[in-house]
Amino acid sequence: MVKFSDDKLKEVQSMIDRYPEGKQKSALIPLLHLAQEEFGGWLKPDTMDYVASLLTIDPIEAYEVATFYSMFNLKPVGKHVFEVCHTGPCMLNGSDNILDYIKSTLGIEVGQTTSDGMFTLKTVECLGACGYAPMMQMGMNYREHLTKERVDAIIDECRNEK
Amino acid sequence: MAKKLLLEKAHIEGIRHFDVYRKEGGYAAVETALKMDPAAIVEEVKKSGLRGRGGAGFATGLKWSFLAKPEGVPRYLVCNADESEPGTFKDRYLMEFLPHLLIEGLIISSFALGSNRTYIYIRGEYAWIVGILEQAIAEAKLHGFLGKNILGSGFDCEIYVQRGAGAYICGEETALIESLEGKRGNPRIKPPFPAIKGLWDCPTVVNNVETLAAVVPIINMGGEEYAKIGVGRSTGTKLLSACGNINKPGVYEIDMTISVEEFIYSDEYCGGIPNGKKLKACIPGGSSVPILPANLLLKTAKGETRYMNYESLSDGGFATGSMMGSGGFIVLDEDQCIVKHTYTLARFYRHESCGQCSPCREGTGWMEKILQKIDTGKGTIADIDLLWDIQRKIEGNTICPLGDAAAWPVAAAIRHFRDEFEWHVNNPTKCLTQNYGLAKYADALGLSA
C-alpha cells in the first residue's frame, strides 16, 4: 500500500487548494506526476487507486487520465529514462544517428531497459527544443545539442551518480 | 535592426528576477491598467490589431469581447503554454528568460476580463519552467502585484501553474480545458465556445503565452501606436522560432515587414544554410502548415517578394502559399528527403490524435504507414493517390483542427513534391541510400547560400 509522507500530503493539499471548492479533480494530473516521482517512477494500479482516493474520485477516472498522457509510465522503467525526440526538426539534425548510437552503446532497443535496471530508452514526439536539436529529455530536464561524445558523457554521469 | 517589444530586455542580467525587471520599467503597465476601466483595456487591445500568436491568428480583442458576463458566475483566463507544434519553441524562450513579462501581461488581462483565478497550463515536459514561473508569481505577490486588493485597486487575482503530461492535443483550447479539469484531453464540440461555457462551465478566455505578453507593450504604448508597427493586418511584432538546416537556429522577434529571404539569409536572423547547401523547402509556421518549395517560399506565384507576415505567407492559398501559423520556421536543405520528413510528421499526428473522431484516429495511422512504406522503397504509385485521398477525407471532418493539421502537411508534400514521391516508388533500392536532391524545385531558381 502506497502512502505520501506528511510533507507530501501538505503539498497535495496546496495543489487541491488551487481550484474552487468541489473542483478537486483538477488536481489529478499534478498528483499523478507527484505519485510517479514518489513511488518508483511508474504508476501501479495501487498508486492510481490511492491518488483517486485522495481526490474522492473513482479509480477509473485516474486510469482514464494516466493512460491518455504520454508522460505517465504504466510499466516499470529504469533509473534513468532517455526520451529521444525523433520528430521532423530533430530528424533533420541527425536524431536517427543519436538514437542508433544510444541503442548500440546501451545494447537495448527502443522501449527496453538495460538488464541492470539503469537505463530505459524511449522515443518521443516533439518536445519544443527544435532549435537545439538533436535532444532528449531526462527526468525534469532537457539534454540538447546531442553528439556521440555528449551521449557518452551523460551515460558516464548517470553511472557515476550515487 | 527591427523593433523589439518583447525580447528587448531578454539579455539583461537578472531580468528573471522582480527587482531587475521592475528597475527596467517592468509592471508599469499594471499600474496604468489598474487605473483604467476594464472595458477600455479591451478597446486598446482591439485597436492594437493583436492577433492570437498560438497559430490561428484570431483577433485577440474580438475574442475578449465575446466573453459572457453573467451575474454571480466567475470568469477565467487561462494561458495556453502547451507549446507542442513541431518547430515551435518561442513560448518556452519567453517564459524561461522573461517570466515577469508573462506574469505582467496576465495580471492586466485578468483585470480586463475579470478573472480572479488565472491558470497557466504548461506542457508537462517543460518541467523546469514551472519553478521559474512560480518564483516570478511569488515575487510579484510579495510586491503587491498579485493577491488581494492589488495596488489598492480592489482587484484580487491569483495565478497558478498547471503542468500537462504529454499531449499535443491539449494545445487546442477545449482539450486544454478538459485537461485542466483533470480529464483526458478530448476536444469539445463547439458551440458552446469557451467564452460562454469553458472551464468548469464558466465563461473562459484561453490565450497563448506570446499573445498575453504582447498586452504589456500595448498598454505601455497604446493600441494605436502598437498598430503602426508591422503591415496591414499583421500588426506589432512576432516571435519566430527557427530550426532545421540553418546556421543560427533560435528565437527571433520580427516586425513582420522583412522578406522571407532576408529572414533566412541575413546574419541578424537564420544566417543562411550551413555548408553552402541550397535551400530546398521550408515549413514557415509550424509543422501543420503547408510546406513550400524554395521558389514558392521566396516569391509568390505572381513573382512578388514574399514577406514574413500573415497575409504574404498565405498569399496564393494552399495551392501556392502557406501560413504564418505559430511561427515555427523549419528549413530543409538540398540533402533532405521530403518523404522521410513528411513521414515523421505523419507519425507525430498519429501519436497525438486523441482518438475521438474516426477520420483522424484511423486516417493518421494509415498516412503514417503508407508514408513509411514509400520511404522504405516499398510503395506504389497507387499509394500516393491513396495518401491524397485519405488526407482529403480527414480535412474538415473532425471535431477539432488536429485533423486538418495532420492532413495539410501530407497534402502540401504531395502537391509540391509529387515527383519525389514517384522517384521513391520507381527507385526502390536507390532511395534507401541516395537523395532525390533539389531536382526541378529550388534548382530552377539558381539560389546558392
Side-chain angles (χ1 to χ4, degrees), chain B residues 5-6 25 27-48 50 64 101 104-112 211-227:
Chain B
L5 300 178
L6 301 176
Y27 288 100
V30 173
E31 293 172 313
T32 308
L34 291 186
K35 289 182 199 130
M36 293 168 71
D37 181 47
I41 299 175
V42 178
E43 272 312 302
E44 285 304 315
V45 174
K46 271 190 184 170
K47 277 188 223 160
S48 75
L50 176 65
W64 284 13
L101 183 66
E104 184 174 8
L106 279 169
I107 298 167
I108 299 164
S109 307
S110 299
F111 177 67
T211 310
L212 291 161
V215 171
V216 176
I218 288 171
I219 293 301
N220 280 330
M221 66 201 298
E224 275 174 30
E225 282 302 307
Y226 183 90

Side-chain angles (χ1 to χ4, degrees), chain A residues 17-21 23 25-30 33 37 61 63-65 67-72 86-89 91-93 96 123-132 135 137 139-142 144-145, chain B residues 76 86-89 92 117 119 123-128 134 160-167 169-170 179-186 200 243-245 249 330-332 336 340-341 344 347-348 351-352 354:
Chain A
D17 290 343
R18 293 172 185 174
Y19 317 100
E21 210 176 325
K23 306 298 182 195
K25 186 178 172 181
S26 282
L28 181 53
I29 291 173
H33 274 303
E37 275 163 40
E61 296 178 79
Y63 306 161
E64 273 183 348
V65 164
T67 53
F68 185 84
Y69 296 92
S70 62
M71 291 183 79
F72 295 129
H86 64 159
T87 313
M91 186 276 287
L92 296 176
N93 282 290
D96 286 356
T123 51
V124 287
E125 299 296 347
C126 191
L127 296 186
C130 319
Y132 324 109
M135 64 80 65
Q137 182 171 22
M140 302 283 272
N141 294 297
Y142 283 6
E144 299 169 331
H145 300 294
Chain B
Y76 294 103
T88 317
F89 49 99
R92 161 188 172 180
R117 243 181 233 265
Y119 295 92
R123 67 176 300 174
E125 294 90 343
Y126 285 173
W128 75 97
E134 285 182 338
Y160 301 101
V161 185
Q162 174 100 353
R163 246 179 104 194
I169 190 60
C170 292
S179 183
L180 187 47
E181 291 182 357
K183 301 177 207 156
R184 296 165 77 91
N186 289 344
W200 304 306
C243 63
N245 305 123
I330 311 168
V331 177
L332 282 73
Q336 300 299 343
K340 167 102 194 220
H341 187 254
T344 73
R347 188 188 60 214
F348 171 87
H351 185 262
E352 302 301 340
C354 81

Side-chain angles (χ1 to χ4, degrees), chain B residues 1-12 93 98 101 213-214 216-218 220-221 226 229-230 236-240 248 250-256 263 267-269:
Chain B
M1 193 73 160
K3 194 169 180 68
K4 287 186 181 175
L5 300 178
L6 301 176
L7 302 185
E8 195 187 357
K9 296 179 174 138
H11 298 289
I12 294 174
Y93 185 91
L98 291 162
L101 183 66
V216 176
I218 288 171
N220 280 330
M221 66 201 298
Y226 183 90
I229 302 163
T237 60
K238 175 86 189 83
L239 297 186
L240 298 176
K248 291 172 60 197
V251 177
Y252 299 99
E253 182 170 8
I254 62 155
D255 70 1
M256 297 196 267
F263 186 67
D267 282 338
E268 197 182 329
Y269 303 108

